[in-house]
Each structure stands twice: as C-alpha cells, then as structure tokens.
Amino acid sequence: MAIAKKDLLSLSDLSVDEIQEIFAVAREMKTVIAGEDKKHPVLRGRSVINLFYENSTRTRSSFEIAGKYLGADVVNISASSSSVTKGESLKDTAKTIDRLAPDVIIMRHGASGAHEVLAQNVKARVINAGDGAHQHPTQALLDMFTITEKKGSLEGLKIAIVGDILHSRVARSDVWGFRALGADVTLCAPPTLMPSHAADLGVTVTYDMNEAVKDADVIVMLRIQLERQKAGMFPSVREYAAFYCLTEERLALAKPDCLVMHPGPINRGIEISGEIADGVQSVIDEQVENGLAVRMALLSMMGGYQNDVN
Ligand code: ASP
C-alpha cells in the first residue's frame, strides 16, 4: 500500500489503515535489521535529503541509517553548515534543494508550520521530523508501534502523557494517534505548561500527577523544553521535579505492567528517575530501535511511489 498523501506533515495526514500498514512493514523491517545483511535496497536509485534546522540525535540518525539500509543515497544538511547562516529564506533553500531531484526531504524546523512552505516549493515528498511545538508524526508512529508490540493494541488503554505539554510536538502527535487507535488519554502538566485548548482535544486534563498515572497502562514522560520556554513557567527545576518527576512511588500507582516511555533526550532526576528510565518497565530503548524500523517502513512506502500520489 502506498501512502495516499504526498507529504507527511501531521500525523492526521495518515489514515488508520495506513498507520496499521506502516506497522506491518515495520515488523518486516525489524527482521531485516536483525539480519546479518541489513541492506534491503528497495530505494536503490532514490535519494533522500535530511534537512535539520534543529538539533537531533535519534530522529536524524535513524532517518539517515534507514535511508542507507534501504539503498537510497542520503545527504544531510544542517542549518549551521548551510546557506541559511547567510540569510537564505526557507523558500529559496527549498527551491535550490529541489533542483537536486531528491525523492524525499525530511525536515526538522523550529517554526511550527514551516513544512507547508517546504512542501509547496518542492516536488519531493516531505516528511516532518518535528516542527516547533506543533507535530512530530514519526515519533508518534514509533510510540504507537511500541505500545502495539507490547500490549497487542491501544484499544481501551489508559495512557498518561506527563510533562511540558505546552511545548511538546510529541504530545500533539501522540494525542491524535493514541485516540485514533482507541486509547483514553490523560494529559498532566503544571497549569503554566498545559495548553489552554487541551480539554478540546478529547482528553482528560489534570494538574495532579498521582491522578494522571493511577491505573495507567502506559506513561509517556516528556522533557522539560527549557530551550522553548520563557522564564517563569515554573519556580525551579527542583520544584518541578517534586511535583512531576516519575518516581517509584508514583509508578506504583499505575498498573503493575504499565509501560514507561520517553521520546528522549532524558533529563534524569527531573522528569524521570534514572532507576525507572533503566528499569524493567521502561521501553525507552525499544522506542529507539522501533524508530529505525518505523522510519524504514515509512521511507520504503513513501520513497518509491512518487507518481502514485496526489
Ligand atoms: N526528541 C523529541 C523532539 O524532538 C522530544 C524532545 O526533544 O524532548 O521533539
């Protein structure tokens, strides 16, 4: 199955059937990754550009390796080493890159909605690897895939997302995806880090972490995004941790087989205790592994069907 829309800007660009198909292909990709020969060259002769205006470890390296395992030529462009530092606009950068005839462009950008500008100015298919506090669709895909692997499905699960919801593109994509697959979602943050429209998202909203994690099947902890915050959103990191760090006592309120997730990078001792991050209920390492499989699946489905899309 090809992905119907040209670009993946928001998770809602995918249908539930397409999401399930991505998971099915990701399962096959896990076998490829586990094998001795990791080359699965379905994108031989295709090219992928990674255009990163913001820092990244997991997302960027997994997209790069995914493209390489699939046999595509992969080029990385980071803002600090490109003409962006000379004042080039995103539109001009997009038009320049498009002349190099890439099949897929993966972009991370600090401005919410920047991908619309890119998508309108290139023939290549665009995948959003994170835009400001807006969307991070491939993180949500790998989160949903990880939960599906562990729990069978998301139907009826109670999932708590805790932390800096206001600045989190992960939370925005996760909420859409978790609900689309049938989960009940609770959002928890200090009032200053909760978006004012949160209750309109079809979720339960609470400022009390104990209430959020009680009987949860899955807890997704989020990083405090100090780089996006204005001063004064909470009194101090120590005070934040006192109310919103995932500790053993708080985790004990959840179901005994509750999964603990975090998109990374982790601030140990701030939003999650180191023991829990490394503990038996944590699937943080599996999230990284699954990120590669899911991105291989997505690239294989988006990189080879350029003429079939609208
Ligand atoms: N890595 C995720 C992102 O890029 C989460 C984070 O940075 O906290 O959005």
Side-chain angles (χ1 to χ4, degrees):
M1 181 200 268
I3 305 286
K5 284 206 171 176
K6 171 181 170 279
D7 306 304
L8 176 55
L9 306 187
S10 233
L11 191 59
S12 58
D13 288 331
L14 297 173
S15 68
V16 170
D17 283 349
E18 286 173 333
I19 290 173
Q20 297 292 5
E21 180 64 18
I22 292 167
F23 292 173
V25 178
R27 276 178 215 113
E28 290 166 21
M29 293 302 173
K30 286 191 86 161
T31 320
V32 173
I33 296 163
E36 238 170 71
D37 180 4
K38 297 187 182 63
K39 279 279 186 214
H40 181 62
V42 293
L43 295 188
R44 200 174 162 277
R46 303 274 169 170
S47 56
V48 173
I49 292 184
N50 258 331
L51 179 59
F52 274 62
Y53 288 83
E54 274 193 349
N55 297 339
S56 170
T57 304
R58 280 152 282 268
T59 308
R60 178 173 158 158
S61 55
S62 63
F63 266 121
E64 180 178 353
I65 290 176
K68 287 181 172 164
Y69 286 169
L70 294 171
D73 289 305
V74 183
V75 172
N76 291 314
I77 303 174
S78 62
S80 56
S81 60
S82 73
S83 290
V84 172
T85 56
K86 299 178 184 167
E88 187 171 67
S89 70
L90 177 57
K91 186 174 172 184
D92 285 336
T93 302
K95 286 164 70 182
T96 304
I97 287 176
D98 206 40
R99 290 287 168 164
L100 307 176
D103 296 283
V104 181
I105 301 174
I106 297 144
M107 182 168 82
R108 170 168 289 188
H109 200 286
S112 300
H115 292 71
E116 301 280 351
V117 176
L118 178 67
Q120 283 160 15
N121 286 286
V122 295
K123 288 191 240 19
R125 300 183 82 169
V126 173
I127 298 177
N128 182 356
D131 60 329
H134 181 224
Q135 280 281 315
H136 194 348
T138 60
Q139 177 72 48
L141 285 171
L142 75 90
D143 288 348
M144 291 188 283
F145 180 68
T146 304
I147 299 170
T148 305
E149 266 198 328
K150 297 281 173 189
K151 299 277 184 195
S153 87
L154 275 73
E155 193 63 51
L157 295 186
K158 183 184 171 191
I159 306 184
I161 305 178
V162 183
D164 184 354
I165 309 278
L166 184 66
H167 299 98
S168 177
R169 51 195 175 207
V170 175
R172 277 166 191 74
S173 292
D174 273 352
V175 165
W176 190 90
F178 292 172
R179 291 189 68 245
L181 297 194
D184 291 321
V185 180
T186 298
L187 296 182
C188 177
T192 48
L193 294 178
M194 182 69 81
S196 52
H197 66 281
D200 303 337
L201 300 174
V203 298
T204 304
V205 173
T206 178
Y207 308 118
D208 177 347
M209 185 161 175
N210 291 350
E211 191 183 309
V213 301
K214 189 166 181 318
D215 299 325
D217 297 286
V218 179
I219 301 173
V220 178
M221 295 306 301
L222 299 173
R223 183 174 66 89
I224 278 289
Q225 302 206 14
L226 292 170
E227 77 275 24
R228 284 187 224 285
Q229 290 191 4
K230 295 181 203 76
M233 300 201 94
F234 52 87
S236 69
V237 166
R238 190 191 289 194
E239 181 148 345
Y240 177 85
F243 286 98
Y244 295 101
C245 182
L246 185 61
T247 57
E248 296 288 356
E249 299 75 55
R250 291 193 174 118
L251 182 56
L253 300 171
K255 297 224 178 95
D257 60 350
C258 176
L259 304 178
V260 174
M261 306 179 76
H262 192 304
I266 295 173
N267 290 308
R268 286 171 188 262
I270 299 179
E271 68 262 358
I272 187 166
S273 84
E275 291 73 29
I276 293 179
D278 301 329
V280 289
Q281 285 173 259
S282 167
V283 291
I284 296 171
D285 291 343
E286 278 109 314
Q287 285 176 271
V288 177
E289 278 173 32
N290 286 337
L292 175 59
V294 162
R295 290 179 177 120
M296 282 176 76
L298 190 64
L299 276 181
S300 73
M301 292 166 77
M302 289 185 74
Y305 296 96
Q306 205 164 358
N307 300 323
D308 300 351
V309 298
N310 43 50

